[in-house]
Amino acid sequence: MNSFPMAWRTLRRAAVLSGLVVGGWCGGHAWAAPMATGGLTSQPIGHYEFCKANPDECSIRSRDTAPAELTGALWKLLVSLNVSVNHAITPMSDLEIYGKEEVWAYPDNAVGDCEDYVLEKRRMLMQNGVSPSNLLITVVRKSDGEGHAVLTVRTDQGDFILDNLTDAVLPWDDTGYRFLKRQASNHTGHWVTIREGQAPLVGSVR
């Protein structure tokens, strides 16, 4: 079997982890690929309830859905913000905080689980001028079968993941997750499929 693709992915991951890649690419080669999305699908129940409480958050329609230009400045922002939010929030499950499952909320009390980290990162990146069309809440399944939520950042160099389980900003196809669904790029209240699979609960914490 040809080992070049595996070696290339290993090199790419090492470069991203070391912070040596500026802007997510090297020598004119993209360091990530865009996800292939499908048709509309159901919202996760937590996002549905979040939208009922925050209707303005879930009614943003984007006409310009072109991926963000991955400049050196944007890459540095993604890396630094991912680290700062990961270390500013204490991981705690929804059951511990609210006494029930699947509560999506901003971690204003500095505690939360995976989707709360995602919401905070998304909010901060929007405040820094990144379009919501390129900041997409995404539901994945971890290797142990547990549901998890991450933030996908769409760029002209591919899709990258901000994750509370790692401080590294990785290409989506280097995370080891199975990707299930994410927000639509043209409407913050809509979701689209990525791959087939049953949507799990998404309450993972660090």
Side-chain angles (χ1 to χ4, degrees), residues 85-164:
V85 173
N86 283 355
H87 290 265
I89 299 170
T90 299
M92 191 175 293
S93 71
D94 290 333
L95 279 175
E96 293 173 300
I97 302 170
Y98 305 106
K100 59 182 180 179
E101 297 278 9
E102 288 298 274
V103 179
W104 293 29
Y106 286 112
D108 292 331
N109 293 324
V111 295
D113 66 358
C114 57
E115 69 273 358
D116 306 333
Y117 286 82
V118 170
L119 288 168
E120 182 63 18
K121 292 171 187 179
R122 181 175 174 274
R123 175 167 67 175
M124 293 181 69
L125 286 169
M126 287 174 61
Q127 290 173 351
N128 278 273
V130 182
S131 169
S133 68
N134 294 318
L135 301 171
L136 307 176
I137 306 170
T138 304
V139 172
V140 303
R141 194 185 299 278
K142 300 193 298 181
S143 59
D144 62 4
E146 184 180 11
H148 185 44
V150 296
L151 182 65
T152 297
V153 181
R154 295 172 65 238
T155 80
D156 60 355
Q157 296 295 323
D159 293 348
F160 291 87
I161 299 301
L162 274 61
D163 187 352
N164 67 295

Side-chain angles (χ1 to χ4, degrees), residues 31-202:
W31 285 85
M35 294 179 200
T37 56
L40 291 175
T41 189
S42 59
Q43 289 174 277
I45 184 62
H47 190 247
Y48 173 78
E49 296 295 336
F50 174 80
C51 288
K52 288 202 302 184
N54 304 273
D56 290 346
E57 294 266 3
C58 302
S59 59
I60 303 172
R61 298 173 182 265
S62 300
R63 293 183 178 180
D64 180 8
T65 57
E69 180 184 359
L70 187 52
T71 62
L74 177 56
W75 179 255
K76 290 177 182 178
L77 174 63
L78 296 179
V79 172
S80 63
L81 187 142
N82 192 54
V83 172
S84 64
V85 173
N86 283 355
H87 290 265
I89 299 170
T90 299
M92 191 175 293
S93 71
D94 290 333
L95 279 175
E96 293 173 300
I97 302 170
Y98 305 106
K100 59 182 180 179
E101 297 278 9
E102 288 298 274
V103 179
W104 293 29
Y106 286 112
D108 292 331
N109 293 324
V111 295
D113 66 358
C114 57
E115 69 273 358
D116 306 333
Y117 286 82
V118 170
L119 288 168
E120 182 63 18
K121 292 171 187 179
R122 181 175 174 274
R123 175 167 67 175
M124 293 181 69
L125 286 169
M126 287 174 61
Q127 290 173 351
N128 278 273
V130 182
S131 169
S133 68
N134 294 318
L135 301 171
L136 307 176
I137 306 170
T138 304
V139 172
V140 303
R141 194 185 299 278
K142 300 193 298 181
S143 59
D144 62 4
E146 184 180 11
H148 185 44
V150 296
L151 182 65
T152 297
V153 181
R154 295 172 65 238
T155 80
D156 60 355
Q157 296 295 323
D159 293 348
F160 291 87
I161 299 301
L162 274 61
D163 187 352
N164 67 295
L165 300 181
T166 176
D167 287 341
V169 177
L170 295 175
W172 74 277
D173 54 354
D174 272 353
T175 60
Y177 296 142
R178 181 185 178 197
F179 284 73
L180 300 174
K181 61 172 74 175
R182 77 179 189 190
Q183 283 179 296
S185 60
N186 62 350
H187 194 303
T188 54
H190 291 171
W191 285 68
V192 295
T193 59
I194 301 171
R195 295 176 181 171
E196 294 290 332
Q198 294 181 343
L201 296 178
V202 289

Side-chain angles (χ1 to χ4, degrees), residues 4 8-9 11-13 15-16 20-34 70 75 155-160 171 173-174:
F4 177 75
W8 176 253
R9 286 162 66 88
L11 176 62
R12 179 177 70 175
R13 180 180 174 89
V16 174
L20 296 177
V21 178
V22 177
W25 67 93
C26 178
H29 294 286
W31 285 85
L70 187 52
W75 179 255
T155 80
D156 60 355
Q157 296 295 323
D159 293 348
F160 291 87
D173 54 354
D174 272 353

